[in-house]
Amino acid sequence: MSIKILKPGICSTIQDLGRTGYRSIGVGPGGAMDFFAATTANYLAGNDEHQPVIEMHFPAASSCFTTPALICIAGANFDAHINEVPIEMYQPVFVEKNAVLSFKKNISGARVYLGVYKGMEAEKWLGSYSTHLKIAAGGFKGRLLQKDDIIAINAESHLLNRKKIRISPAVLKTLYNHQSPLRCIAGPQCFLLNAESQKNILQTAFTISNQSDRMGYRLSGNNCYLQTPVELISSPVTFGTVQLLPNGQLIILMADHQTTGGYPNIATIIAADLPRLAQLPVNSQLHFELVSLQHAEEMLLSTHQLLAEIKTGCENFYANH
Amino acid sequence: MVAEKEKGYENIIVTAATSLILTNKIIFISTTQFHIVPLSESALLFYYSPAIDIIINEKIMALHHKLASTSFPGFIESAPAYASLAVYYNPAFIKQYYPDTVTAFAFVQNIIESLARESDNLNFSQTKPITTIPIYYNGEDLEWVASTHQLTTTEVIQLHCGVVYHVFMNGFLPGFAYMGTVNEKIITARKDKPRLKVAAGSLGIAGAQTGIYPIDSPGGWQIIGTTPLQLFNKKKADPCLIKAGDQIQFFAIDKKEFDQLNEY
């Protein structure tokens, strides 16, 4: 009962929703870049949100199931195929023994998630299955997946999905609408920017540079300037923190960010928009929009609410199947 | 955010950064005024006027430990830095159980404010045991640090070993400890061009700070030695050797002792 990696893809790792409790010793949460896609991949595959999933970038991994299994693909649209036949995303898919999962085309998004019914075997480190590449711990041997890796899965599945469940495309369209600006709240040091830069950040476009990865997105755009140069002392940061680098460019800290940083903290992308940010590929443009903290909280709560509804729907589906 | 708070924060950053790094004088802030701002919708940042100051840092650590022992509904974790503490929480949980609160932030802010006021009255001058760390002073930048300050390498080693360091915080890398402050005679600016790879165990100086790289990493600190001890051991339940709040002193060892003790 396993998934065998035929081709590894460029950056395929096992992730969950990240580890908590170790920031104070310098270990950040890590975890899936797109928590919404990772969570729904699990729910639709009949799991709770805590099972490990495989996160893949394009070109993504090709893999073979040595046993019948129930899977769900969520996140980026990389044109998923089973045995050369296209499959639907955001719904449970039954695959037969020796089925080959592959991704043909980079259509939209930046990272795709594979959830498997009852989950897969992964190494838990400091309470999480997420792969910590620097420490080489968690996930699959603490590293990127390689050719011929064999990931044990916890259950065979012979469920036939005659009945369907899927996430409404309208919901996904709203959530991942790449046209709408990224909402952010003001950061502790946004007032250090000069007036023109404060305006520029909210009124001009930025491009995600190719020096972007799971640690951070480096943006290119108009240079931003402080009123007077400062050297700060290190202070905690978080997923979504927007920092101003000494060269005048911005960086958005992503899932594998360091726990502390010494650059001015200008803004924080609201958590409800992090899934959309995580699915923005290199070279895409983005705009920032300033919102209140109260709005940010409300948006996160409604994202939680949406996930809770999806969870209930999936639980009922599997209970009646 | 109040304009006055922001203004004060900005001004003090400038003073702290210029005077501290250059003169190694520890700045004692007369006021213990703290500020609380959102870091995200699920974290807040509690901070004093930024400075590399043991008394301020002890207050941060006291609040960090107090939160760990008392907790509050929705509390996830807290992470200390030099003069700030991030408190991470679950806003959905808070709003569910306290629907009357306008924002989860306001709810947590209240708790942190009262905890901070209580811990302001605590006595921070408790003595802690000193952990000693062996160092083979063979670093690539040792000669350079010595010649910059017109010292011999032996003098640099003596000065570096002659201080009990306070661990202000962990950050940058898992298990990386920011320690200070070094004797003013060996305060050395970071390298102009960071190395692409600094080996695990390397001991460095950056300004008045000193620290050891727990894993191979790019880095700009002036490397003066190497410890044979593993700073971060992923196999241990408590993987981090040097933690915020600890007292550390280094002692010099030779190549033979290094090889005997080498955990890498």
Side-chain angles (χ1 to χ4, degrees), chain A residues 240-251:
Chain A
T241 296
V242 183
Q243 290 179 321
L244 176 63
L245 299 175
N247 66 2
Q249 296 290 307
L250 300 174
I251 183 169

Side-chain angles (χ1 to χ4, degrees), chain B residues 7-150:
Chain B
K7 194 71 186 159
Y9 190 28
E10 178 195 349
N11 288 340
I12 291 160
I13 292 163
V14 179
T15 356
T18 47
S19 58
L20 258 174
I21 308 302
L22 298 177
T23 67
N24 189 29
K25 292 237 170 65
I26 291 178
I27 297 174
F28 290 93
I29 307 291
S30 53
T31 164
T32 52
Q33 177 74 43
F34 56 77
H35 308 294
I36 298 176
V37 295
L39 184 63
S40 73
E41 65 283 85
S42 50
L44 61 73
L45 190 68
F46 169 94
Y47 64 89
Y48 292 101
S49 299
I52 300 180
D53 178 327
I54 293 174
I55 292 176
I56 293 290
N57 186 249
E58 292 280 10
K59 285 178 184 289
I60 294 292
M61 291 310 298
L63 184 57
H64 173 61
H65 289 307
K66 196 152 186 185
L67 266 172
S69 58
T70 59
S71 188
F72 62 81
F75 174 66
I76 296 173
E77 64 180 311
S78 59
Y82 278 108
S84 57
L85 182 76
V87 180
Y88 300 85
Y89 54 88
N90 180 346
F93 186 92
I94 294 167
K95 295 283 277 190
Q96 188 183 342
Y97 288 92
Y98 303 90
D100 293 342
T101 181
V102 181
T103 59
F105 171 77
F107 173 83
V108 181
Q109 186 181 28
N110 273 333
I111 291 169
I112 302 299
E113 263 175 18
S114 50
L115 282 181
R117 295 233 161 75
E118 285 170 37
S119 47
D120 233 13
N121 302 324
L122 295 179
N123 179 15
F124 300 105
S125 58
Q126 45 191 328
T127 44
K128 292 198 193 77
I130 296 168
T131 309
T132 55
I133 304 284
I135 301 289
Y136 175 38
Y137 283 92
N138 66 333
E140 286 177 68
D141 302 319
L142 181 62
E143 292 276 355
W144 195 87
V145 170
S147 63
T148 306
H149 300 291
Q150 282 101 47

Side-chain angles (χ1 to χ4, degrees), chain A:
Chain A
M1 287 200 298
S2 60
I3 304 172
K4 186 180 175 189
I5 303 297
L6 305 176
K7 284 184 195 161
I10 51 163
C11 177
S12 309
T13 53
I14 289 183
Q15 300 291 343
D16 61 9
L17 297 179
R19 48 181 63 82
T20 55
Y22 300 92
R23 290 180 199 252
S24 59
I25 58 166
V27 179
M33 288 278 273
D34 177 348
F35 71 85
F36 187 89
T39 303
T40 49
N42 263 328
Y43 288 165
L44 288 159
N47 303 324
D48 66 20
E49 60 275 23
H50 301 297
Q51 288 295 336
V53 295
I54 300 180
E55 180 183 271
M56 292 168 277
H57 301 73
F58 198 85
S62 299
S63 47
C64 178
F65 292 82
T66 66
T67 186
L70 192 75
I71 66 169
C72 175
I73 302 293
N77 183 353
F78 291 162
D79 195 17
H81 281 60
I82 287 284
N83 294 334
E84 304 300 319
V85 178
I87 56 164
E88 298 287 343
M89 293 176 61
Y90 289 102
Q91 51 183 279
V93 174
F94 173 73
V95 300
E96 289 174 21
K97 187 178 171 176
N98 293 329
V100 172
L101 170 67
S102 62
F103 298 87
K104 305 291 185 191
K105 253 193 334 226
N106 187 351
I107 296 172
S108 66
R111 26 197 68 89
V112 68
Y113 295 86
L114 166 64
V116 182
Y117 176 65
K118 297 284 184 198
M120 57 194 85
E121 220 165 86
E123 176 192 319
K124 207 170 198 175
W125 181 64
L126 300 183
S128 164
Y129 296 115
S130 292
T131 307
H132 197 300
L133 293 173
K134 277 190 179 163
I135 296 298
F140 191 89
K141 300 180 179 174
R143 62 163 169 78
L144 302 178
L145 295 177
Q146 295 171 0
K147 183 173 160 45
D148 296 333
D149 280 347
I150 291 171
I151 303 160
I153 61 174
N154 295 333
E156 276 190 26
S157 174
H158 296 281
L159 291 177
L160 292 173
N161 45 336
R162 285 191 199 98
K163 283 192 286 181
K164 296 263 187 190
I165 184 169
R166 64 169 188 173
I167 296 185
S168 145
V171 166
L172 296 171
K173 211 173 161 189
T174 314
L175 206 88
Y176 291 104
N177 179 2
H178 294 336
Q179 303 308 316
S180 51
L182 283 167
R183 292 166 291 183
C184 61
I185 58 167
Q189 278 108 30
C190 66
F191 60 92
L192 291 179
L193 288 173
N194 69 24
E196 201 197 333
S197 296
Q198 290 192 21
K199 216 169 73 183
N200 258 335
I201 283 192
L202 297 174
Q203 292 180 352
T204 64
F206 292 86
T207 305
I208 298 175
S209 85
N210 56 12
Q211 286 176 291
S212 299
D213 56 19
R214 281 186 42 93
M215 285 186 70
Y217 283 5
R218 281 172 183 266
L219 305 184
S220 57
N222 282 339
N223 267 359
C224 296
Y225 298 99
L226 301 178
Q227 296 162 36
T228 44
V230 289
E231 194 177 327
L232 302 177
I233 54 175
S234 283
S235 177
V237 292
T238 194
F239 190 174
T241 296
V242 183
Q243 290 179 321
L244 176 63
L245 299 175
N247 66 2
Q249 296 290 307
L250 300 174
I251 183 169
I252 309 178
L253 303 184
M254 301 300 284
D256 280 344
H257 65 85
Q258 298 177 4
T259 53
T260 57
Y263 298 126
N265 178 343
I266 302 301
T268 306
I269 308 298
I270 72 169
D273 283 358
L274 290 178
R276 181 151 57 86
L277 177 62
Q279 293 299 351
L280 284 180
V282 161
N283 294 329
S284 19
Q285 279 208 339
L286 58 87
H287 286 85
F288 295 109
E289 179 191 324
L290 191 64
V291 296
S292 68
L293 175 70
Q294 194 173 346
H295 184 71
E297 276 190 15
E298 282 162 8
M299 291 301 103
L300 179 59
L301 262 46
S302 70
T303 308
H304 279 295
Q305 183 64 37
L306 175 61
L307 283 171
E309 284 164 17
I310 294 168
K311 185 179 190 177
T312 308
C314 291
E315 281 172 353
N316 291 341
F317 174 78
Y318 280 97
N320 298 326
H321 210 90

Side-chain angles (χ1 to χ4, degrees), chain B residues 222-239:
Chain B
Q222 305 283 355
I223 304 304
I224 59 169
T226 313
T227 181
L229 303 187
Q230 215 172 351
L231 268 279
F232 194 88
N233 185 341
K234 67 178 178 185
K235 296 198 175 99
K236 289 186 179 169
D238 185 6

